[in-house]
Amino acid sequence: AGDLYYYGDEQIKVTVGEMPESNLYIKGYVGDEYGSNRWSCESGGEYNQFSDVYGLSGEIDIRSMPYTLLSRFGQDHMVIEKQAVFGDFEFFPYGALDERGSGWINDLYIYGDSASSSFDFTPVIYPLAGDFEDLTAYSQQMLSGDGQLQMMESDYQSFVKSRYTQVPDATRELMDMLIGPNVPEALEEKLRFVRQLLADTCEYTLTPGALPAGEDFTQYFLTQNRRGYCMHFATAATLMLRTMGVPARYVEGYIMAPGNFSPSQDGYSGIAYDYQAHAWTEIYLDGVGWLPVEMTPGFYDTAALDADMDESDAPETFAPESEGMMEESAADGETSETDGAETAGSAQESQSDADAGQTDGGSDDRDDFGDDGSGGQGTQEASRFQAFHALFTVLLWMALIVAFIAAVIGVIVLRAAALRRKRTAAMRQPDKSRACAAIYQELMRLFEICGYKQANGESMRHYFESVAADHDCVDVDACGKLVALANEAAFSRDGIALEQWQWCRRLYQTIRHGMYHDQKRMKQLKMKFWNVC
């Protein structure tokens, strides 16, 4: 997790029946084991001991626990449509009713690559699960009337408290040192304690820099760099809560605010863009189930978040390129209109001066036409007519010019959007070997656009070195690895793995962003809207 940049790409479309009253957390990938600087899914063996006893129906009951508990207070339906190519997992809301049963990776996330999915869910679980004490009290009342469900939840709770409080030994030592001996007892106090500790010691930013080789991600964030974004805070918070005895997991997905939604044929729909990707922590509340808790500074009080809140709105963030360009274009449009109004005002002012001169002239000539001045009045009216006609002509031409410029800009923007979608689809296509080859082709095209053409007979390494000499974002060895993977993708019978494709994609995005920002402003505009890279 190095510097994070956004490009304004559409990710998912969410449709609900009722207008959301608070932020929705759309859940995707869930990690349960931290090690080697990543979250992975390793709970299979232990979870199977629970699932073997109660079977599929028991698993469904456990996963639907929040819906069973809270649906009496409100129900809604959600349809999630993927707008981009993702890994092999589905998105779903908290408080969802699990009707499919199959497709789950243990109790973590739903495996699949379908273009859309739909769920009944209870929106009252937002904002962020509400009052824990009320939920716990109601769950005890509900479970007391269902002995089978109570026993099942008790067994699952035992598994959860054993599995999801595990922390690597080296990491636990660090957490114990940071937390200190005075650990709060109540759950809400523990959450506030972790939030305050992270907010006091770490700074939110989308550009924390790359993780040095050999460093542990969490230790480097908490003790040295102290700078990061949601991924850093969610990881640290999950491990801290586990150290304090709270079952917790790491989650990645999207955060959508009520302001993202607008009326549609099926209710209310909204698009989540790449800058709304988010990471958070989820905890297990006894008798209720898994609930989201926010640990990133600036995201705690979801009810107070702005309607357009996303990763880029938090303190010291990098504004998404697409939004920046849009705002800049809008500002340019306003400037043009203002300039046009000033030009028109200047023309009108000059014409008024001319009218004044003509009126004076009419007074002088009045004696030549008689004392009634009828000839002078006719001349004055004719002059005014000519002035208004000239002004109208100027304004009409200005309007035509503005319309023509707007049309040209519109064509350029639409062309760029179409090409960007086409190239993005090629780099994210399901066939990862072909996707890797497309990434390699785009990287070479990027170098040529920036003025680097490979000479005949020049080695790839020497070529990459010439580019790297002018751009710090270009790693010669990494580029060489990308070439090797592209060759493997093209000629190997087995192709390349998903992780290798993800590495290629991240490398290309890093180099593209770095070389883009190394260019002058006019070159940036050309790259973005004409070369489309």
Side-chain angles (χ1 to χ4, degrees), residues 57 59 148-149 196 250 325 357 362 396 463 499 527:
S57 60
E59 293 182 73
Q148 176 67 16
L149 187 59
Q196 192 64 50
Y250 170 86
M325 292 301 299
L396 178 61
Y463 176 59
E499 292 78 8
M527 289 177 63

Side-chain angles (χ1 to χ4, degrees), residues 152-379:
M152 189 185 308
E153 197 281 331
S154 177
D155 287 347
Y156 180 69
Q157 187 182 130
S158 298
F159 157 71
V160 164
K161 292 183 177 180
S162 170
R163 175 64 195 175
Y164 298 121
T165 56
Q166 295 181 11
V167 180
D169 292 339
T171 306
R172 183 175 291 275
E173 292 179 6
L174 171 64
M175 295 302 167
D176 287 336
M177 179 187 69
L178 294 174
I179 294 171
N182 300 320
V183 178
E185 294 185 5
L187 175 60
E188 290 86 348
E189 293 177 358
K190 291 180 179 178
L191 296 177
R192 285 194 292 268
F193 177 86
V194 173
R195 285 174 177 168
Q196 192 64 50
L197 177 60
L198 291 175
D200 290 344
T201 57
C202 300
E203 174 188 355
Y204 183 98
T205 176
L206 291 185
T207 54
L211 177 67
E215 291 285 353
D216 176 75
F217 173 77
T218 306
Q219 183 171 354
Y220 179 70
F221 168 61
L222 290 174
T223 63
Q224 298 183 57
N225 195 30
R226 300 180 184 274
R227 304 172 74 245
Y229 40 89
C230 60
M231 185 182 296
H232 300 74
F233 285 92
T235 294
T238 300
L239 295 172
M240 282 185 180
L241 288 171
R242 286 187 174 191
T243 303
M244 299 167 73
V246 179
R249 304 191 303 202
Y250 170 86
V251 186
E252 290 180 354
Y254 292 90
I255 178 174
M256 297 189 70
N260 298 138
F261 292 86
S262 58
S264 65
Q265 183 178 358
D266 300 317
Y268 294 86
S269 298
I271 297 291
Y273 295 87
D274 56 1
Y275 49 82
Q276 289 171 265
H278 195 51
W280 60 92
T281 298
E282 65 178 16
I283 63 170
Y284 189 81
L285 187 63
D286 294 350
V288 179
W290 291 101
L291 304 175
V293 290
E294 187 59 74
M295 289 296 170
T296 303
F299 289 79
Y300 300 156
D301 185 5
T302 58
L305 288 178
D306 184 79
D308 293 324
M309 184 66 176
D310 55 59
E311 277 287 311
S312 62
D313 289 323
E316 298 192 19
T317 62
F318 178 87
E321 286 185 20
S322 58
E323 286 196 326
M325 292 301 299
M326 289 170 63
E327 292 171 1
E328 191 169 323
S329 299
D332 291 342
E334 292 171 1
T335 304
S336 299
E337 291 175 5
T338 304
D339 292 343
E342 291 175 355
T343 303
S346 300
Q348 188 173 2
E349 183 177 348
S350 300
Q351 191 61 52
S352 299
D353 294 339
D355 289 346
Q358 290 169 356
T359 303
D360 293 339
S363 300
D364 293 337
D365 295 336
R366 187 172 298 172
D367 291 338
D368 297 336
F369 288 89
D371 292 337
D372 60 357
S374 57
Q377 184 177 358
T379 303

Side-chain angles (χ1 to χ4, degrees), residues 53-117:
V53 174
Y54 293 100
L56 180 59
S57 60
E59 293 182 73
I60 293 176
D61 288 338
I62 288 298
R63 289 192 290 258
S64 298
M65 184 78 74
Y67 181 84
T68 304
L69 171 66
L70 300 170
S71 59
R72 61 174 293 184
F73 300 112
Q75 301 176 25
D76 200 352
H77 187 74
M78 178 181 293
V79 177
I80 305 173
E81 302 171 76
K82 295 179 180 178
Q83 306 295 299
V85 178
F86 292 93
D88 296 329
F89 55 86
E90 305 289 354
F91 294 99
F92 61 103
Y94 280 91
L97 173 63
D98 177 21
E99 295 182 310
R100 65 179 67 195
S102 61
W104 281 81
I105 300 299
N106 303 321
D107 58 340
L108 300 172
Y109 63 90
I110 302 175
Y111 176 88
D113 57 0
S114 59
S116 65
S117 55

Side-chain angles (χ1 to χ4, degrees), residues 379-407:
T379 303
Q380 182 177 354
E381 291 177 354
S383 299
R384 287 179 177 174
F385 175 78
Q386 293 175 353
F388 283 119
H389 179 73
L391 178 60
F392 176 78
T393 302
V394 171
L395 293 176
L396 178 61
W397 275 105
M398 288 180 60
L400 291 174
I401 293 173
V402 171
F404 175 76
I405 294 174

